[in-house]
Amino acid sequence: MLLDPLRIPDVAWSDPAVRDALGQRDVGALFRRIGQLSGASQTRIGAAVNLEQGYVSRVMAGRKVTSIDVLERVADGLRMPDEARMALGLAPKDHSCHLDMALPSRQRQSGLPNNRSWREDVRAAAQLWEGDVNRRDVIRQVAFTSAGYTLPALRWFTAPATRAVEQAGSRTVGQPDIETIREMTATYRRLDNQYGGGHARAAVVRYLHQEVTPLLHNGRYETSTGQKLLSAVAELTQLAGWQAYDVADHGVAQLYLTHALDLARAADDAGLGAEILAAMSHQATYLGHGVTGIDLARAAWQTAHQAGFTVLAAEASVMEAHGHAVLKDERACATALHQAEKALDRADRSSTPQWLGYFDEAYLSAKFGHCFKALGKPVQAERFAARSLRMDEQYVRGKAFNLALLASAQAHQGDPERACVVGAQALVLTSRLQSARAARYVRDLQIELAPHRRQPAVQQFIRRVDTVLGSRR
């Protein structure tokens, strides 16, 4: 299993080739020798040190590693003894403390989940924003792991109430500052929905680093204002994570969503916390981690239920249903879908926050459609996909998703001509988006239509997809 600790024999650290590689800081040579001694593949080594396999391959082919963040990750992932760490030029560390490998080294916490203060949460988030702006190539090497969501979710439920969020800095922070952050978030959210996550993600990260960090570090605010400030920042951080998810930077997305959840906890914002847990569930299920998706959805439901947010409870239930569908558990999926319908029917939408504006009957229908598609029920999937298109036209990316879902259901029912017509509409919208998810749905449709490739309509659609999105390698 990729998540199991990499078994490296103790004698490896006294091996002459390993010692020489450590002394030279030749990570490529170190990986090659560790692979020989342990029998581990590049993929297995990458999983252990939380780096993408492609990056590991380039390092083993001769790419130099100079980043302390990456070196720390390698040392921790290989569970180096202190002598080996010092040979690599790193500080010694108590090896009994196994750190969370889902986070860059400067953001890891060696204590128990409830040992975090709100100031530490702020400091860790600010370090992520800075690292994303200044060392994006390093940050993007972080790989998604389903286990990486375990500690944040545990901390959400078990950490004691944070101390008063107040600070005596040099710059007065007031309601206008908070409203500015929320307005910027609303603007970036509209751009995200209309043009995809890749359109403005870099701008969001720069805004967090350049404008928000000074407010957090140098601001003067009392508890009420401090909590509102952290809540606004948590929402924007969640959006940055969602954008990274949309462009398939899944490890980066996990980091941002994790920090967003910590900031929401510090702000005592249960509603936003439930929304972030639901987003985590969404990502995990999309990546095929159905069990993790279900667990996170249930955590979101419990949070929403306890706080009395019925709409959020409906969202959490439909996320749970999708996890069950991915695992082919039809009965559990049906139960969760029924629970979602009932919750949405009795929900009061008069005070829905802006970050939940997308969740309506059309969105719910789309999730129903995805569940039925995952369960291999294209007739039901088509019915709900068609219903999902009765939607707000400002959600361009969502409409591209829903069109692709409808076309997929039609293709699975043996109607490739209709699927190509609808798929072409999805392709037009996708061509306007910077969204890896939208492109993936169209690519999946292309594959689903492959058995009908002799039909002229299908041939034309496949060629058009390759022209617009580029030929597959």
Side-chain angles (χ1 to χ4, degrees):
M1 296 291 292
L2 289 179
L3 294 180
D4 292 338
L6 181 60
R7 301 186 183 281
I8 301 174
D10 292 338
V11 296
W13 305 112
S14 59
D15 180 85
V18 170
R19 294 175 66 87
D20 183 63
L22 292 170
Q24 298 295 324
R25 271 197 173 177
D26 188 340
V27 178
L30 175 64
F31 283 167
R32 289 193 295 272
R33 186 57 178 154
I34 290 297
Q36 293 169 355
L37 294 171
S38 66
S41 65
Q42 291 179 4
T43 300
R44 183 68 187 82
I45 292 173
V49 300
N50 205 23
L51 295 171
E52 298 286 356
Q53 180 273 329
Y55 183 79
V56 171
S57 177
R58 292 191 293 274
V59 169
M60 293 177 74
R63 176 170 178 169
K64 297 298 182 184
V65 175
T66 59
S67 165
I68 295 298
D69 279 341
V70 175
L71 291 172
E72 285 275 9
R73 201 174 306 150
V74 168
D76 288 332
L78 299 182
R79 297 191 173 191
M80 288 184 187
D82 279 348
E83 182 180 357
R85 289 180 61 88
M86 288 187 288
L88 191 60
L90 300 175
K93 183 181 295 185
D94 179 8
H95 183 64
S96 65
C97 179
H98 182 54
L99 301 179
D100 178 16
M101 292 309 299
L103 300 177
S105 59
R106 291 188 304 162
Q107 298 167 34
R108 296 175 189 148
Q109 302 296 327
S110 60
L112 296 173
N114 62 353
N115 284 347
R116 291 279 293 269
S117 70
W118 71 267
R119 295 181 188 279
E120 290 172 312
D121 291 329
V122 165
R123 188 179 305 113
Q127 288 173 346
L128 173 61
W129 306 332
E130 179 187 14
D132 201 359
V133 169
N134 297 328
R135 295 183 303 281
R136 184 167 172 76
D137 58 329
V138 174
I139 293 292
R140 291 185 65 177
Q141 300 305 324
V142 178
F144 175 91
T145 64
S146 58
Y149 278 147
T150 302
L151 179 60
L154 178 64
R155 187 161 54 235
W156 173 259
F157 284 108
T158 64
T162 59
R163 293 184 178 179
V165 181
E166 56 187 16
Q167 184 168 275
S170 58
R171 176 178 176 179
T172 301
V173 176
Q175 190 62 31
D177 299 290
I178 296 168
E179 290 176 356
T180 297
I181 295 174
R182 294 202 181 278
E183 283 297 322
M184 291 297 292
T185 302
T187 298
Y188 285 132
R189 197 179 297 281
R190 285 193 294 271
L191 293 173
D192 176 63
N193 287 321
Q194 293 174 5
Y195 301 104
H199 178 75
R201 198 185 98 74
V204 171
V205 174
R206 283 195 301 271
Y207 181 77
L208 283 166
H209 174 54
Q210 296 173 0
E211 303 296 333
V212 173
T213 296
L215 293 177
L216 293 170
H217 285 343
N218 305 323
R220 181 170 68 254
Y221 40 83
E222 42 75 36
T223 299
S224 177
T225 300
Q227 287 186 322
K228 292 176 183 177
L229 174 63
L230 290 191
S231 177
V233 175
E235 182 187 347
L236 185 54
T237 303
Q238 187 262 359
L239 175 59
W242 190 258
Q243 292 172 318
Y245 167 27
D246 193 45
V247 297
D249 283 345
H250 292 294
V252 176
Q254 184 171 42
L255 293 178
Y256 273 89
L257 293 177
T258 295
H259 286 298
L261 185 65
D262 286 338
L263 292 171
R265 178 184 59 83
D268 196 24
D269 192 334
L272 183 58
E275 170 71 1
I276 295 167
L277 286 164
M280 292 174 167
S281 171
H282 196 298
Q283 183 192 23
T285 299
Y286 175 84
L287 294 175
H289 300 279
V291 172
T292 300
I294 291 168
D295 288 342
L296 290 166
R298 287 173 173 170
W301 184 90
Q302 182 176 345
T303 300
H305 178 70
Q306 291 175 346
F309 293 107
T310 309
V311 176
L312 280 168
E315 180 190 25
S317 293
V318 80
M319 295 302 171
E320 179 183 346
H322 199 184
H324 288 304
V326 167
L327 296 176
K328 309 301 181 185
D329 189 338
E330 185 174 344
R331 177 175 294 183
C333 177
T335 299
L337 287 177
H338 180 61
Q339 186 175 12
E341 275 191 312
K342 289 197 304 180
L344 190 61
D345 284 345
R346 65 174 183 270
D348 178 8
R349 304 301 302 271
S350 61
S351 58
T352 299
Q354 67 173 17
W355 43 258
L356 195 58
Y358 67 90
F359 189 76
D360 55 14
E361 287 76 9
Y363 185 91
L364 189 67
S365 294
K367 294 302 290 184
F368 270 58
H370 282 290
C371 288
F372 285 119
K373 177 186 176 181
L375 290 170
K377 296 179 175 294
V379 175
Q380 294 93 323
E382 180 183 15
R383 183 169 71 250
F384 283 102
R387 190 180 299 175
S388 74
L389 291 170
R390 304 169 191 165
M391 59 183 298
D392 190 330
E393 293 293 324
Q394 70 173 316
Y395 296 105
V396 177
R397 181 180 55 204
K399 186 171 183 179
F401 292 167
N402 296 350
L403 286 167
L405 174 63
L406 176 59
S408 175
Q410 293 166 340
H412 280 287
Q413 292 180 75
D415 194 347
E417 290 193 4
R418 278 204 307 157
C420 288
V421 172
V422 177
Q425 298 174 42
L427 180 60
V428 169
L429 294 183
T430 299
S431 68
R432 305 172 187 169
L433 298 166
Q434 295 183 40
S435 168
R437 286 191 296 153
R440 172 182 162 177
Y441 287 137
V442 173
R443 287 296 196 187
D444 287 347
L445 176 61
Q446 189 183 36
I447 294 171
E448 291 160 355
L449 286 168
H452 308 281
R453 65 172 60 88
R454 292 186 177 181
Q455 296 190 25
V458 174
Q459 292 177 7
Q460 182 181 8
F461 177 75
I462 290 176
R463 286 196 300 268
R464 189 174 176 186
V465 171
D466 286 339
T467 298
V468 174
L469 301 182
S471 299
R472 286 182 178 272
R473 296 181 179 178

